[in-house]
Amino acid sequence: MLAFGSFRSRLSFFLLCLLTPVLGGIFYYVNRNNIEYTEETINSYLELGADVFDFTRAQQAETLQAITNSLTWGFGFRAAFASNDPATLFGASLNVLDRSIGKADMLMIVDLNDNVVIDTSLQGYTKLSGAWLSLIEEADANEEGLAEAIVAIDGDPFQLIALPLYLPRQVAWIIGGFALDQNFVERVKETIVSEVSIIRRSDGSNLEVVASTLSTARQQILAEQMPINWLAVDSLQRISLEGEEFTTLLRSLFGSSSDELQVLAIIQRSYDENNENVVQFRTLLIEFYAVIIAISLIAVVFLSRSITQPLAKLASAVQKIEEGEYGKPVEVNSQDEIGDLANSVNSMARGLAEKEKVRDLLGKVVSQQIAEQLLNNPVELGGEEKIVTILFSDIKGFTSFCEGLRPQEVLVQLNQVLSTISNIVEKHNGVVDKFQGDAVMALFGAPIYSEFDATNAMSAALEIIDALEIGDSRLRACIGISTGLVVAGNLGSSNRLNYSVIGDTVNLSARLESLTRLYNVTNIVSEASRDAAPNYFYMELDEVCVAGKSQAIKIFQLVGLSDQMSAEKLAMSAAFAAALKAYRAQNWRLAQRLFSQLAASCDNETLPKVFLERIESFQITPPAEGWDGVYIFGKK
Amino acid sequence: MKLRLNLIGGFLFSVLGAYGNAQSLSVQLNDGEGNPISDAVIEILLPDEIRSEYQPGADATVDQLDKEFVPNISAIVSGNSIFFPNSDDILHHVYSFSPTVSFNIPLYGKGNSDQYSQTFNSVGVVEIGCNVHDWMLAYIYVAETSLSAISNDIGLAILETVPSGTFELRIWHSRLRDNSMAMTHTIEFFDGEQANLSYTLELKRGRRIRRSPSSNRTRYR
């Protein structure tokens, strides 16, 4: 299959494929017929010319006969003949020739015994022989006493006629003749409008042009060429003379091939001259074809432009759409299929623009991953069970931070903080599920699960905490992290839904976050989360039963990466663990002492005080039998 | 005429007596295919001593009628004349370039045409033509004596009074292959015997100038 770089070249190629054989075919047949017609015309002209030549010759012979008859039968000539005086008769004969106005060139008088009485051509014959005698014998055998022949006189062919001289009975033969000379061929040429030459060959090979309407140079060529082209008489052939083609017809003038003199008339018509019209017509045809092809190609250019230009526009538009530019609609002012296509592209662009807008908006309203999830999967209610780590973050001190600020400024500040948190979450492959006031709920493991979900959540938590500490000192992050089975999916109604997760883990995260205030820590991590992210160092805070939950869980504070722990922190953690142990063993005094020491030494005195308050309370009202150290929170 | 010839013959015979009584001669002339030949002339060539008995003859007339000579063959005795009257309404120009006599009577018409005559003194055949009408041709056989006759339509030529003896018989015809006067036969005539001879002549194909068709128009006769 041919490959075309452009629609235009393809169209041009097919047009040429279509036009060329059609035009070529027409050209071939028209040209062939023209040439045939020309040849037929020339041939028929030549044959006609040859007939006219014969006719002219016969006519002239008849004229010769008539003149000779009339003149020699005059009483004066009769008397001259009867005078039997050769000189008188010679003079009378010359007089006859004068009166013939050139129709007769020679006169001969022969008696009935073939003796030459008078010969104006002075050949010196006394008695006839050869062709001359044959002529007389032929005349004698003729009822009218007439005969004609072509005989050479001094090498030049003469048309002769013989007729009787009556006085009143036949007393002699009169032979009249005219030369087949230049005058003759020129006279014939005037009639037949063809070149006429008379050639003779006396002994079979030597050719001589006797008279010709051709130029001397061409006569020479003709004489050289004729032995080669000596075809049958009356057949047509083509002979080239100085580059010009002549259709040539030979017409024999000699009586029989045994005659010693063979004279032929050559009638020629310029093929090139006759062919001129054909050549002109052919040129015209070629020019006409060139114009047709040119017009067609121009038409193709315009046609293809009418297609390719809008196509190019469409292509660049589609390319821009590919690059994300939906703004400019394609402008194609046609009502055809291309117009339809342009309209389709425009609607597609609008659709894509809307979709992009939606995607963009979605990405802002929901997290990028959720947006992808929503866009790439069929949006339907329901979900799947997944192990997800949920990070709940709140900003402690935001309310007091907002005091005295206008709502607009509050919003700016809040957005700034939330953006920071959101960015950190996304940086650690988390997904912001929702914002609730100054709180952020982030998912790690939904919609896309990863084995590092919990680890990511931990590092995100540490970064959020750090980020807020670096910022305004009045603000502190409070983070609750828990890991567990949730249902992730689209929640809500069929026409308004929301990708989210539901389950105890979600509630637990929220509870843990709210507990941070109680313990005055930056974060609280559930036991499951701690187990899922073992690379971090945690300090156990307590074992509690959160509101609405019957099962007790251990809660931990995320301190940092295990391998980056300072000795101070480790010591503090160990002291806290020892205090917690005494507390759980209901060794109130030891526990009171250890927590008091911690309250005095560590940064967070609130934490030991929580336990010191509980111990005072337990000292007044001891816990129930079999208390295992779990603290039950009664309210949310 | 016949009567006159007989009378003359009788007279001559009685004077000379050397030759016997006159008898008649009939000569039948046919061509090779048996067709009779007319317009041939037979002549008995007499020896000098009796020739004068058969001389002179009579003058004759060759009329010109409807652009033809009538008759187109005549036999006369040398020394006699032929009158060439013109019976046509147009002029004729009678001429001859024959070796024995050359004459011409330039254009003349009907009136007084009887005066145009020509005397033929030499023996031989004279061809007479008309210079106006090429086809007009008449032969005048100028004989030595009156012993000549022209064959008729059935090829028969008759001489009533031929003396007995041995003479030469000459036969002439315009289309004889040998047109000289030499065609002779020696014949012996006996007293009182009718001589019946027949000869076969070989004639050439005759070529004559065709009379032009327009000349048949009657208006100018």
Side-chain angles (χ1 to χ4, degrees), chain B residues 21-119:
Chain B
N21 291 323
Q23 45 264 308
S24 67
L25 166 67
S26 90
V27 177
Q28 176 66 46
L29 297 172
N30 290 330
D31 65 8
E33 293 169 356
N35 300 314
I37 295 174
S38 62
D39 293 342
V41 179
I42 60 165
E43 181 187 5
I44 301 293
L45 302 178
L46 296 178
D48 294 343
E49 57 267 28
I50 60 165
R51 197 179 291 160
S52 58
E53 290 178 26
Y54 295 89
Q55 288 175 332
D59 290 342
T61 299
V62 173
D63 197 1
Q64 293 167 89
L65 184 62
D66 193 16
K67 296 176 225 165
E68 294 289 355
F69 289 115
V70 182
N72 64 347
I73 181 149
S74 311
I76 58 164
V77 180
S78 169
N80 283 102
S81 296
I82 290 195
F83 290 87
F84 295 102
N86 181 356
S87 299
D88 284 338
D89 294 332
I90 56 167
L91 307 185
H92 288 293
H93 176 173
V94 177
Y95 75 90
S96 173
F97 290 114
S98 292
T100 52
V101 60
S102 180
F103 72 94
N104 82 95
I105 310 167
L107 292 169
Y108 64 97
K110 209 171 189 174
N112 300 321
S113 66
D114 292 348
Q115 62 182 311
Y116 299 108
S117 67
Q118 175 68 37
T119 304

Side-chain angles (χ1 to χ4, degrees), chain A residues 73-76 78-80 82-83 139-146 164 166-171 173, chain B residues 93 95 97 102 104 127-131 134 136-139 174-175 179 204-210:
Chain A
W73 289 4
F75 192 72
R78 280 171 166 158
S83 73
D140 199 28
N142 179 272
E143 196 176 339
E144 304 277 324
L146 296 175
Y166 293 103
L167 214 61
R169 277 224 321 159
Q170 186 185 352
V171 290
W173 294 103
Chain B
H93 176 173
Y95 75 90
F97 290 114
S102 180
N104 82 95
E127 290 148 2
I128 307 291
C130 170
N131 194 43
D134 283 330
M136 288 175 67
L137 173 62
Y139 294 98
S174 62
R175 281 157 55 205
N179 208 12
K204 288 192 293 187
R205 195 161 47 83
R207 183 189 304 127
R208 275 201 59 177
I209 302 166
R210 269 204 301 261

Side-chain angles (χ1 to χ4, degrees), chain A residues 158-187:
Chain A
F158 271 67
Q159 169 72 54
L160 301 182
I161 59 111
L163 46 91
L165 177 64
Y166 293 103
L167 214 61
R169 277 224 321 159
Q170 186 185 352
V171 290
W173 294 103
I174 292 187
I175 300 172
F178 62 86
L180 297 174
D181 57 4
Q182 198 62 26
N183 284 339
F184 176 72
V185 293
E186 273 166 14
R187 208 155 51 233

Side-chain angles (χ1 to χ4, degrees), chain A residues 331-351:
Chain A
E331 280 180 28
V332 174
N333 301 320
S334 61
Q335 305 299 316
D336 53 11
E337 291 86 342
I338 292 174
D340 294 347
L341 178 62
N343 290 337
S344 299
V345 168
N346 284 339
S347 350
M348 182 188 79
R350 275 197 299 277

